[in-house]
Amino acid sequence: MARTGYQLLSPSPWPISAAAAVMGLCATLLIFCGEGVSWIFWGSLSVSFSLFIFVLCNWWSDVVKESTYLGEWSSYVVRTYAWGFRFFIISEAFFFAGLLGSFVFYGVGESSIHGVGFWPPRGIKPLVPWKMALLNTAILVGSSATANWALKFVQAHNTLNFDMEVKKSEIKRFSKSGKKLAGGTVDTYYYQDRAVVAFIVTIILGVSFTFLQALEYYWASFSFGDGIYGSTFYLLTGFHGLHVVIGTIF
Protein backbone atom coordinates (compact mmCIF):
# COMPACT_ATOMS: atom_id res chain seq x y z
CA MET A 1 0.00 0.00 0.00
CA ALA A 2 2.98 2.30 0.50
CA ARG A 3 3.66 2.24 -3.24
CA THR A 4 0.13 2.59 -4.59
CA GLY A 5 -1.76 4.35 -1.80
CA TYR A 6 -4.51 1.76 -2.09
CA GLN A 7 -5.31 -1.31 -0.04
CA LEU A 8 -4.43 -4.63 -1.67
CA LEU A 9 -7.13 -7.02 -0.49
CA SER A 10 -6.48 -10.65 0.26
CA PRO A 11 -8.95 -13.30 -1.02
CA SER A 12 -12.19 -13.17 0.96
CA PRO A 13 -15.15 -15.58 1.06
CA TRP A 14 -17.64 -12.86 2.02
CA PRO A 15 -18.57 -11.35 -1.39
CA ILE A 16 -19.63 -14.67 -2.92
CA SER A 17 -21.31 -15.67 0.35
CA ALA A 18 -23.26 -12.40 0.41
CA ALA A 19 -24.36 -12.99 -3.19
CA ALA A 20 -25.56 -16.49 -2.27
CA ALA A 21 -27.51 -15.11 0.71
CA VAL A 22 -29.19 -12.44 -1.43
CA MET A 23 -30.08 -15.03 -4.07
CA GLY A 24 -31.61 -17.14 -1.33
CA LEU A 25 -33.69 -14.20 -0.11
CA CYS A 26 -34.89 -13.53 -3.66
CA ALA A 27 -35.85 -17.19 -4.01
CA THR A 28 -37.71 -16.92 -0.71
CA LEU A 29 -39.69 -13.99 -2.08
CA LEU A 30 -40.60 -15.99 -5.18
CA ILE A 31 -41.72 -18.91 -3.00
CA PHE A 32 -43.89 -16.54 -0.99
CA CYS A 33 -45.46 -15.10 -4.15
CA GLY A 34 -46.17 -18.56 -5.56
CA GLU A 35 -47.11 -20.68 -2.55
CA GLY A 36 -47.61 -18.22 0.29
CA VAL A 37 -46.46 -19.00 3.81
CA SER A 38 -45.41 -22.65 3.97
CA TRP A 39 -42.68 -24.77 5.53
CA ILE A 40 -40.57 -24.30 2.39
CA PHE A 41 -40.90 -20.53 2.78
CA TRP A 42 -39.89 -20.56 6.45
CA GLY A 43 -36.98 -22.92 5.78
CA SER A 44 -35.63 -20.84 2.91
CA LEU A 45 -36.11 -17.62 4.88
CA SER A 46 -34.34 -18.98 7.97
CA VAL A 47 -31.32 -20.29 6.07
CA SER A 48 -30.95 -17.27 3.77
CA PHE A 49 -31.44 -14.62 6.44
CA SER A 50 -29.12 -16.40 8.90
CA LEU A 51 -26.42 -16.63 6.23
CA PHE A 52 -26.95 -12.97 5.36
CA ILE A 53 -26.52 -11.82 8.98
CA PHE A 54 -23.50 -14.11 9.45
CA VAL A 55 -21.80 -12.70 6.34
CA LEU A 56 -22.49 -9.09 7.33
CA CYS A 57 -21.11 -9.59 10.85
CA ASN A 58 -17.89 -11.20 9.62
CA TRP A 59 -17.39 -8.91 6.63
CA TRP A 60 -17.86 -5.72 8.63
CA SER A 61 -15.67 -7.17 11.38
CA ASP A 62 -12.87 -7.57 8.83
CA VAL A 63 -13.40 -3.99 7.65
CA VAL A 64 -13.12 -2.68 11.23
CA LYS A 65 -9.95 -4.70 11.86
CA GLU A 66 -8.32 -3.52 8.63
CA SER A 67 -9.16 0.13 9.20
CA THR A 68 -8.79 0.49 12.97
CA TYR A 69 -6.30 -2.10 14.19
CA LEU A 70 -4.15 -3.01 11.18
CA GLY A 71 -3.91 0.53 9.79
CA GLU A 72 -4.35 -0.57 6.17
CA TRP A 73 -6.56 2.34 5.16
CA SER A 74 -4.95 5.37 3.57
CA SER A 75 -6.75 8.59 2.66
CA TYR A 76 -7.34 7.14 -0.81
CA VAL A 77 -9.06 4.07 0.63
CA VAL A 78 -11.25 6.20 2.90
CA ARG A 79 -12.20 8.35 -0.09
CA THR A 80 -13.19 5.34 -2.22
CA TYR A 81 -15.31 3.91 0.61
CA ALA A 82 -17.02 7.27 1.04
CA TRP A 83 -17.84 7.51 -2.66
CA GLY A 84 -18.99 3.89 -2.71
CA PHE A 85 -21.41 4.60 0.13
CA ARG A 86 -22.70 7.70 -1.67
CA PHE A 87 -23.45 5.62 -4.77
CA PHE A 88 -25.15 3.03 -2.56
CA ILE A 89 -27.44 5.73 -1.11
CA ILE A 90 -28.24 6.93 -4.63
CA SER A 91 -29.12 3.38 -5.73
CA GLU A 92 -31.36 3.02 -2.66
CA ALA A 93 -33.13 6.27 -3.54
CA PHE A 94 -33.79 5.05 -7.10
CA PHE A 95 -34.98 1.68 -5.77
CA PHE A 96 -37.62 3.21 -3.52
CA ALA A 97 -38.49 5.82 -6.15
CA GLY A 98 -39.29 2.97 -8.54
CA LEU A 99 -41.57 1.28 -6.01
CA LEU A 100 -43.30 4.54 -5.13
CA GLY A 101 -43.62 5.38 -8.82
CA SER A 102 -45.31 2.06 -9.57
CA PHE A 103 -47.72 2.57 -6.67
CA VAL A 104 -48.65 6.06 -7.88
CA PHE A 105 -48.82 4.97 -11.54
CA TYR A 106 -51.32 2.22 -10.86
CA GLY A 107 -53.14 4.46 -8.41
CA VAL A 108 -53.94 7.07 -11.05
CA GLY A 109 -54.43 4.51 -13.83
CA GLU A 110 -55.77 1.00 -13.87
CA SER A 111 -55.79 -0.39 -10.35
CA SER A 112 -56.14 -4.15 -10.86
CA ILE A 113 -57.92 -6.73 -12.96
CA HIS A 114 -60.69 -7.06 -10.39
CA GLY A 115 -61.41 -3.38 -9.92
CA VAL A 116 -60.54 -1.18 -12.90
CA GLY A 117 -60.92 2.50 -12.11
CA PHE A 118 -60.86 2.14 -8.33
CA TRP A 119 -57.93 2.78 -5.99
CA PRO A 120 -57.64 0.97 -3.69
CA PRO A 121 -59.29 -1.84 -5.68
CA ARG A 122 -62.70 -3.06 -4.62
CA GLY A 123 -62.63 -5.38 -1.64
CA ILE A 124 -59.50 -3.85 -0.11
CA LYS A 125 -59.77 -1.73 3.01
CA PRO A 126 -56.65 0.46 3.19
CA LEU A 127 -54.86 1.22 6.43
CA VAL A 128 -55.66 4.54 8.10
CA PRO A 129 -52.58 6.75 7.51
CA TRP A 130 -53.05 9.07 10.51
CA LYS A 131 -53.12 6.34 13.17
CA MET A 132 -50.39 3.70 13.49
CA ALA A 133 -48.62 4.82 10.31
CA LEU A 134 -48.32 8.36 11.68
CA LEU A 135 -47.05 7.01 15.02
CA ASN A 136 -44.44 4.90 13.24
CA THR A 137 -43.34 7.93 11.23
CA ALA A 138 -42.85 9.91 14.44
CA ILE A 139 -40.86 7.02 15.96
CA LEU A 140 -38.65 6.84 12.87
CA VAL A 141 -37.97 10.58 12.91
CA GLY A 142 -37.20 10.38 16.62
CA SER A 143 -34.73 7.53 16.08
CA SER A 144 -32.96 9.61 13.43
CA ALA A 145 -32.60 12.46 15.93
CA THR A 146 -31.21 10.24 18.70
CA ALA A 147 -28.80 8.57 16.25
CA ASN A 148 -27.48 11.99 15.23
CA TRP A 149 -27.10 12.99 18.88
CA ALA A 150 -25.10 9.83 19.51
CA LEU A 151 -22.87 10.64 16.54
CA LYS A 152 -22.21 14.15 17.85
CA PHE A 153 -21.32 12.80 21.31
CA VAL A 154 -18.94 10.23 19.79
CA GLN A 155 -17.28 12.91 17.67
CA ALA A 156 -16.85 15.14 20.72
CA HIS A 157 -15.35 12.27 22.74
CA ASN A 158 -12.93 11.30 19.95
CA THR A 159 -11.94 14.90 19.29
CA LEU A 160 -11.04 15.62 22.91
CA ASN A 161 -9.24 12.29 23.39
CA PHE A 162 -7.43 11.48 20.15
CA ASP A 163 -7.08 14.63 18.06
CA MET A 164 -3.95 16.36 19.33
CA GLU A 165 -4.17 19.09 16.69
CA VAL A 166 -7.76 20.05 17.35
CA LYS A 167 -8.47 23.75 17.13
CA LYS A 168 -8.84 25.72 20.34
CA SER A 169 -12.27 26.86 19.19
CA GLU A 170 -13.42 23.22 19.04
CA ILE A 171 -12.13 22.53 22.56
CA LYS A 172 -13.87 25.66 23.81
CA ARG A 173 -17.14 24.65 22.11
CA PHE A 174 -17.10 21.15 23.60
CA SER A 175 -16.01 22.49 26.99
CA LYS A 176 -19.09 24.69 27.23
CA SER A 177 -21.46 21.73 26.88
CA GLY A 178 -19.35 19.15 28.73
CA LYS A 179 -18.93 18.35 32.39
CA LYS A 180 -16.00 20.05 34.09
CA LEU A 181 -13.50 18.29 36.34
CA ALA A 182 -11.13 19.72 38.91
CA GLY A 183 -8.73 22.17 37.32
CA GLY A 184 -11.17 23.16 34.56
CA THR A 185 -10.53 20.12 32.33
CA VAL A 186 -13.37 18.49 30.43
CA ASP A 187 -14.70 15.08 31.45
CA THR A 188 -14.64 13.29 28.09
CA TYR A 189 -16.52 10.31 29.55
CA TYR A 190 -19.47 12.69 29.81
CA TYR A 191 -19.83 12.44 26.02
CA GLN A 192 -19.19 8.70 25.99
CA ASP A 193 -21.95 8.01 28.52
CA ARG A 194 -24.45 10.15 26.65
CA ALA A 195 -23.53 8.50 23.36
CA VAL A 196 -24.35 5.11 24.90
CA VAL A 197 -27.69 6.41 26.19
CA ALA A 198 -28.55 7.90 22.79
CA PHE A 199 -27.68 4.62 21.04
CA ILE A 200 -29.84 2.63 23.47
CA VAL A 201 -32.79 4.97 22.88
CA THR A 202 -32.25 4.62 19.11
CA ILE A 203 -32.31 0.81 19.36
CA ILE A 204 -35.48 0.90 21.47
CA LEU A 205 -37.17 3.14 18.91
CA GLY A 206 -36.06 0.85 16.06
CA VAL A 207 -37.47 -2.23 17.81
CA SER A 208 -40.71 -0.34 18.53
CA PHE A 209 -41.03 0.61 14.86
CA THR A 210 -40.53 -2.99 13.74
CA PHE A 211 -43.06 -4.29 16.29
CA LEU A 212 -45.71 -1.77 15.26
CA GLN A 213 -45.17 -2.52 11.58
CA ALA A 214 -45.60 -6.24 12.29
CA LEU A 215 -48.88 -5.42 14.07
CA GLU A 216 -49.92 -3.34 11.08
CA TYR A 217 -49.31 -6.30 8.78
CA TYR A 218 -51.25 -8.59 11.12
CA TRP A 219 -54.27 -6.27 11.20
CA ALA A 220 -54.26 -5.50 7.48
CA SER A 221 -57.30 -6.76 5.58
CA PHE A 222 -55.31 -7.52 2.39
CA SER A 223 -52.33 -9.70 1.55
CA PHE A 224 -49.39 -9.71 -0.85
CA GLY A 225 -51.45 -11.55 -3.46
CA ASP A 226 -54.32 -9.02 -3.58
CA GLY A 227 -53.44 -7.42 -6.89
CA ILE A 228 -51.01 -4.63 -7.59
CA TYR A 229 -52.07 -2.74 -4.46
CA GLY A 230 -51.09 -5.51 -2.06
CA SER A 231 -47.84 -6.42 -3.85
CA THR A 232 -46.52 -2.84 -4.11
CA PHE A 233 -47.60 -2.01 -0.54
CA TYR A 234 -45.83 -4.98 1.02
CA LEU A 235 -42.75 -4.67 -1.19
CA LEU A 236 -42.36 -0.98 -0.37
CA THR A 237 -43.03 -1.17 3.36
CA GLY A 238 -41.30 -4.55 3.70
CA PHE A 239 -38.01 -3.40 2.21
CA HIS A 240 -38.20 -0.24 4.29
CA GLY A 241 -38.78 -2.33 7.41
CA LEU A 242 -35.83 -4.54 6.45
CA HIS A 243 -33.59 -1.46 6.39
CA VAL A 244 -34.79 -0.54 9.88
CA VAL A 245 -34.12 -4.08 11.16
CA ILE A 246 -30.59 -4.11 9.74
CA GLY A 247 -29.93 -0.64 11.16
CA THR A 248 -31.21 -1.74 14.57
CA ILE A 249 -29.01 -4.85 14.63
CA PHE A 250 -25.81 -3.20 13.45
Side-chain angles (χ1 to χ4, degrees), residues 14-31:
W14 308 130
I16 187 65
S17 301
V22 172
M23 287 293 294
L25 291 173
C26 292
T28 303
L29 179 61
L30 293 177
I31 293 172

Side-chain angles (χ1 to χ4, degrees), residues 40-199:
I40 301 177
F41 165 79
W42 286 115
S44 178
L45 178 63
S46 301
V47 173
S48 302
F49 190 73
S50 299
L51 177 61
F52 184 70
I53 297 299
F54 175 77
V55 170
L56 287 185
C57 290
N58 285 275
W59 198 348
W60 290 347
S61 175
D62 289 348
V63 170
V64 172
K65 291 176 184 177
E66 293 165 358
S67 60
T68 305
Y69 301 107
L70 300 180
E72 296 182 355
W73 282 21
S74 65
S75 59
Y76 296 102
V77 177
V78 174
R79 195 178 308 164
T80 55
Y81 269 91
W83 275 107
F85 194 78
R86 291 188 184 100
F87 285 124
F88 170 74
I89 295 298
I90 293 173
S91 68
E92 290 283 287
F94 277 103
F95 173 76
F96 282 103
L99 290 177
L100 281 172
S102 64
F103 191 83
V104 173
F105 174 79
Y106 285 103
V108 298
E110 293 183 350
S111 57
S112 68
I113 297 176
H114 302 288
V116 176
F118 296 92
W119 191 259
R122 290 177 176 176
I124 291 182
K125 183 180 179 181
L127 299 172
V128 181
W130 53 82
K131 290 186 177 180
M132 188 173 292
L134 182 61
L135 175 61
N136 252 356
T137 302
I139 291 175
L140 200 62
V141 173
S143 66
S144 300
T146 54
N148 277 281
W149 288 338
L151 175 62
K152 295 299 182 183
F153 287 135
V154 170
Q155 289 175 339
H157 174 77
N158 292 342
T159 299
L160 294 174
N161 278 278
F162 306 114
D163 194 348
M164 297 295 101
E165 299 179 357
V166 63
K167 297 179 180 179
K168 292 183 178 180
S169 59
E170 292 292 313
I171 295 179
K172 186 177 181 181
R173 178 167 65 89
F174 291 137
S175 299
K176 288 181 179 179
S177 59
K179 182 180 178 181
K180 298 294 184 60
L181 297 176
T185 58
V186 182
D187 182 10
T188 56
Y189 289 102
Y190 170 88
Y191 297 105
Q192 181 177 345
D193 295 340
R194 275 149 184 77
V196 172
V197 172
F199 273 125

